Amino acid sequence: TQPSPDAMLLYAYLFFLLGRVELWLLFWIAIVAAACIRLAPDTRRERDCAVLTLGVGATVLLMWWLPFARTHLDARRNTLVARVVPAAGAITPDDIQLAAWIESHLPAEKGPVGLASLPSTFGSTKLLFPIGAAQALPLYGHAYNFTFQLFDPSREYSYDEYLDHVSSYFDAEWCLEHNVRYFHLPAGNLHPNHGLARAREVGLLVPIRTVASSALYEVRPLPWKPRVMPLSAMPASTYQITWKADGTAVADGSDAQLVYALDQPQFVHAVRFKYTITHATSQPAEAQLFWSGPGQSFVEHERTAHVRLQPAAREKTVTILVHDTVDQFRFDPDERPFTLHIRDMELLVKPPDQP
């Protein structure tokens, strides 16, 4: 009920092994052959067939070292990676070459390389699965100098640190303080990692080596320290939501919205609030935050963040990277019916004495 990290790693490998049908067949053939030798020692024909089967199985395993066999049996060179598409994405030869460059130019003393991952939970178990090109270092590398993966080689940073400092809010200062100075990211969509995607857009992550399908980025610090500005959790207006006096929002439709207005435009680095959310299933709520500045309106594919709100009995805190001039927010917690309680909402804003 409380497996060790190594036991969970074994579980993950066995899970991926399900896709390798030929290996499962080889495994069960060996089991049946061994059982035949044990249960029918006096039946020459069956015993000989079983011994022959075991011999063939051993030969196949020995052929692992042949180049042709490695192409089909080595998980790093066969379709194992492709079998997790589209959940994790594919690795290209360019990604593998970039991973080799990273290992030859970034020794361990320069800190581990952060990976873009998919945070997932199975019951109480918390897991991180690298996506797309971010799988190249764990699968093809030899130095094991990376972090934010299913089982971090250093055993230092994992699911909680990734959610708090990378996924929805890229905390450059925390990364630099903990010697995470580089990230290997796939090109294109990084969902559900709004924090990484926005940091890439606004220059908190700067590319230093790029290929067609991925790039290595260096973490750049925020040039000023944000100040905290409280914001009332009570929205200025709602749509398809019943707002209660205790700060609870109950969805009345599939397009529920909470709109917040600022007294005056502010350069907002991030939005942070505490919440609990409940709905009919245990799956995370697919929430979306919109923001707009003076003269702008809310647009579906601009000035927006997609984040996941985890349902739980205990209160959680979420921080969402914005880094833009804002006078309004719109928050769409989920398309499904839900009950959401929000409190301690605050903005991380640029100090007035900063240019």
Side-chain angles (χ1 to χ4, degrees):
T1 56
Q2 302 227 345
S4 68
D6 292 321
M8 287 303 301
L9 180 61
L10 175 61
Y11 167 81
Y13 276 109
L14 291 176
F15 174 80
F16 285 119
L17 189 62
L18 290 172
R20 308 305 302 147
V21 176
E22 63 270 27
L23 294 183
W24 274 112
L25 290 175
L26 181 64
F27 171 76
W28 286 112
I29 286 172
I31 293 294
V32 172
C36 288
I37 295 174
R38 175 67 178 171
L39 298 177
D42 299 326
T43 308
R44 182 178 179 83
R45 180 180 178 183
E46 283 79 359
R47 187 179 66 249
D48 291 346
C49 288
V51 171
L52 178 62
T53 301
L54 282 177
V56 171
T59 302
V60 171
L61 291 176
L62 290 174
M63 289 174 61
W64 177 284
W65 302 107
L66 296 178
F68 177 82
R70 280 210 302 268
T71 302
H72 290 77
L73 294 177
D74 190 341
R76 300 181 304 175
R77 296 176 172 85
N78 61 21
T79 57
L80 174 63
V81 174
R83 287 183 186 275
V84 295
V85 173
I91 297 174
T92 70
D94 286 344
D95 299 329
I96 300 170
Q97 292 179 7
L98 180 55
W101 185 93
I102 291 172
E103 291 204 325
S104 63
H105 289 79
L106 297 181
E109 55 266 24
K110 290 194 174 183
V113 177
L115 305 178
S117 288
L118 175 67
S120 302
T121 57
F122 296 94
S124 60
T125 303
K126 302 174 181 179
L127 303 171
L128 289 174
F129 297 104
I131 56 176
Q135 300 170 97
L137 274 172
L139 289 176
Y140 289 87
H142 303 285
Y144 297 99
N145 186 35
F146 52 83
T147 187
F148 303 132
Q149 190 250 2
L150 178 61
F151 292 98
D152 192 296
S154 67
R155 297 292 200 268
E156 288 188 43
Y157 314 126
S158 190
Y159 182 94
D160 291 334
E161 290 81 7
Y162 191 79
L163 248 60
D164 291 342
H165 304 289
V166 177
S167 183
S168 61
Y169 171 60
F170 184 76
D171 191 344
E173 281 63 39
W174 182 93
C175 290
L176 293 173
E177 287 173 6
H178 292 79
N179 206 27
V180 181
R181 301 179 179 277
Y182 303 93
F183 275 81
H184 184 201
L185 306 181
N189 188 11
L190 294 175
H191 182 75
N193 297 291
H194 165 75
L196 286 173
R198 186 63 179 158
R200 188 169 62 182
E201 291 174 358
V202 301
L204 295 177
L205 287 171
V206 178
I208 59 174
R209 182 89 176 179
T210 303
V211 297
S213 50
S214 65
L216 176 69
Y217 294 84
E218 185 176 8
V219 179
R220 296 293 173 85
L222 194 65
W224 36 264
K225 184 177 181 180
R227 68 178 180 90
V228 177
M229 187 179 86
L231 183 67
S232 173
M234 183 175 180
S237 63
T238 64
Y239 179 70
Q240 295 187 358
I241 280 181
T242 299
W243 182 263
K244 298 185 178 180
D246 63 352
T248 300
V250 180
D252 298 329
S254 60
D255 190 24
Q257 302 173 8
L258 300 167
V259 177
Y260 296 89
L262 278 60
D263 294 336
Q264 60 182 10
Q266 297 276 353
F267 189 92
V268 177
H269 179 59
V271 180
R272 182 164 61 204
F273 57 87
K274 295 179 180 179
Y275 73 92
T276 56
I277 187 168
T278 57
H279 42 68
T281 70
S282 60
Q283 297 300 315
E286 298 290 342
Q288 190 170 6
L289 178 75
F290 299 86
W291 65 88
S292 64
Q296 297 175 334
S297 58
F298 299 124
V299 183
E300 181 63 31
H301 300 293
E302 296 178 14
R303 301 181 299 279
T304 182
H306 292 267
V307 295
R308 290 180 171 179
L309 302 183
Q310 301 292 333
R314 298 179 60 183
E315 190 176 64
K316 293 181 177 292
T317 299
V318 63
T319 308
I320 305 171
L321 183 60
V322 174
H323 206 77
D324 202 355
T325 300
V326 174
D327 64 1
Q328 286 190 95
F329 291 98
R330 194 186 95 195
F331 187 51
D332 299 2
D334 203 357
E335 293 181 352
R336 299 167 296 178
F338 63 83
T339 299
L340 172 70
H341 182 77
I342 296 179
R343 73 178 187 90
D344 292 350
M345 179 172 281
E346 55 191 20
L347 307 180
L348 304 182
V349 302
K350 179 189 290 188
D353 58 344
Q354 293 296 325

